[in-house]
């Protein structure tokens, strides 16, 4: 049965406008920093998404900014009430992604192919790519898009969100990290054999395809998207190659990754909230065709200090994929929550401490998994701590984690080149230290050694608690 969802990002943004979670700007805005500054500020204020109706120099185009940078908009993307609490949105993701999976459905006459541009007409500078931040190495076509690619010698299809800078009319450049799914195809298979790799960039996809493309999905993202939708995602064949793209996207850019050619890309304001990676030779994308809707809507994410959609969605899906993995391993966890404000660097795992050093086992499992390179802090709390409550978390960290015995450091982990804390040499190599904070009291302590938590829930008899709760408002309290 299909779940409630939005087939395209237009319908999603319209829904967000209705609930006050998106604003429409009709006044002319400049693609050169003005749009970027607006989107940055709304992200920092945890404000609404933005639909720019009138972009300087680009009549006929619109652009959406910060599409899913709040949990409210994430709830809307899942067809839920915008006020749905985070644990309920998480349950919905887990329910859908552990359910039936469907292959995608191929259609013809797709909205994303209403206009087809090839040859000299396929000029990416005709798209309103924004100059996102002052100091960026160029205008970015790809900040809210994903790249579709097919493995060289298996049927595996990958949809992955990897940023792309416009270099000239026909070329883009961007980092393809070696441990990403596309990185493995490109750096290990196509490039060593000098074979150009066909790609299709999907700019401004529907919200669930976008969520899938930046999630560490355990299955191909077209099937993963179908799981999120509860029915097959509709795809269409590209005009220059046999890749397939979501039919209801706004703009598609087709072409090939060029082997053994690099283009200088960056600097760029990144999801860590810093500009970390220098201008360096990166993967080159050569453009063959652009297809789009008649009145296309561009999209942009503005990475920087929290909270942008990369931080929010990556935290959400990284945490929940870890939740699945730890349960599959039989670890008695109560849940996993990754904090978007940590720029997906800190994950909180709730567990029933069933045996000594379970926190170390959890840390080693998550750091050793495919998800591990993206974060370096794991905080393990007991089942009584609410993993979604930051106050409880800080309290547990500062009172239960022994500053010597409770902190386990692994100096030699896999990291990304973007970690601001890493030494310049570590960034160049893509390595990072990892740390586990064990916030559970040791199991070998006598019951009388365990400090008693002094809280309303814990130190008053049930009948007193109930009486106080029942009379709370009559005492004169509002909340
Ligand atoms: C807005 C945004 C931009 C991203 N840019 C990059 C990038 O340039 N390079 C990269 O390797 N990953 C990037 N990521 C992370 C990948 O999207 C992420 O790892 C995703 O799960 C792709 O995973 P896969 O390689 O496992 O398929 C970005 C994520 C977001 C949300």
């Amino acid at each position: 049965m299909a779940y409630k969802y939005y087939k395209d990002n237009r319908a999603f943004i319209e829904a967000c406008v209705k609930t006050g979670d998106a604003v429409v700007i009709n006044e002319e805005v400049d693609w050169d920093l003005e749009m970027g500054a607006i989107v940055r500020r709304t992200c920092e204020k945890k404000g609404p998404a933005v639909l720019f109706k009138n972009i300087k120099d680009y009549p006929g185009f619109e652009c959406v900014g910060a599409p899913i940078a709040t949990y409210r908009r994430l709830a809307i993307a899942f067809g839920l009430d915008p006020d749905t609490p985070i644990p309920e949105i998480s349950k919905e993701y887990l329910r859908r992604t552990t359910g039936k999976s469907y292959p995608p459905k191929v259609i013809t006459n797709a909205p994303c192919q209403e206009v087809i541009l090839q040859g000299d007409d396929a000029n990416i500078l005709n798209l309103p790519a924004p100059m996102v931040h002052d100091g960026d190495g160029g205008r970015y076509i790809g900040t809210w898009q994903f790249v579709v690619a097919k493995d060289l010698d298996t049927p595996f299809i990958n949809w992955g969100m990897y940023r792309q800078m416009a270099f000239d009319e026909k070329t883009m450049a961007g980092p393809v990290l070696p441990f990403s799914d596309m990185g493995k195809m490109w750096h290990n298979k196509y490039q060593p054999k000098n074979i150009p790799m066909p790609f299709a960039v999907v700019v401004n996809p529907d919200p669930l395809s976008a969520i899938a493309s930046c999630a560490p999905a355990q299955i191909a993202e077209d099937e993963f998207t179908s799981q999120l939708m509860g029915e097959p995602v509709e795809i269409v064949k590209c005009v220059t190659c046999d890749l397939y793209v979501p039919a209801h996207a706004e703009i598609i850019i087709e072409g090939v990754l060029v082997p053994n050619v690099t283009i200088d890309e960056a600097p760029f304001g990144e999801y860590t909230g810093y500009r970390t990676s220098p201008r360096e030779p990166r993967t080159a994308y050569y453009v063959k065709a652009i297809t789009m809707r008649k009145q296309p809507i561009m999209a942009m994410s503005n990475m920087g200090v929290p909270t942008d959609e990369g931080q929010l969605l990556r935290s959400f899906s990284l945490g929940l994929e870890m939740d699945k993995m730890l349960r599959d391993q039989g670890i008695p966890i109560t849940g996993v929550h990754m904090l978007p404000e940590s720029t997906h660097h800190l994950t909180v795992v709730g567990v029933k401490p069933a045996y000594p050093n379970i926190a170390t086992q959890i840390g080693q499992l998550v750091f050793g998994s495919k998800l591990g390179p993206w974060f370096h802090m794991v905080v393990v709390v007991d089942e009584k701590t609410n993993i979604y409550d930051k106050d409880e978390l800080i309290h547990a960290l500062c009172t239960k984690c022994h500053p010597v015995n409770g902190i386990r450091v692994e100096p030699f982990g896999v990291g990304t080149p973007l970690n601001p804390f890493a030494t310049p040499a570590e960034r160049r190599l893509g390595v990072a230290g990892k740390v586990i904070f064990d916030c559970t009291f040791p199991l070998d302590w006598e019951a009388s050694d365990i400090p008693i938590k002094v809280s309303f829930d814990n130190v008053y008899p049930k009948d007193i608690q109930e009486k106080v709760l029942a009379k709370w408002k009559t005492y004169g309290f509002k909340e």
Side-chain angles (χ1 to χ4, degrees), residues 143 158 161-163 175 177 180-181 215 221 303 314 374:
T143 55
N158 185 58
M161 205 172 268
Y162 314 107
R163 77 177 189 229
L177 296 173
S180 67
D181 283 345
E221 283 84 3
M303 293 84 139
R314 299 272 298 140
W374 292 102

Side-chain angles (χ1 to χ4, degrees), residues 352-375:
K352 188 159 176 26
Y355 44 84
N357 284 340
I358 197 164
T360 311
Q361 186 186 26
I362 289 171
Q364 287 172 341
L365 278 168
V366 297
F367 287 141
S369 73
K370 178 187 165 184
L371 321 173
W374 292 102
F375 58 95

Side-chain angles (χ1 to χ4, degrees), residues 384 395 399-400 441 445-460:
K384 292 182 208 103
H395 182 246
T399 56
K400 289 186 168 176
F441 287 131
W445 287 6
E446 299 295 331
S448 58
D449 291 333
I450 298 174
I452 292 164
K453 188 172 171 187
V454 183
S455 66
F456 177 79
D457 296 351
N458 212 39
V459 293
Y460 295 97

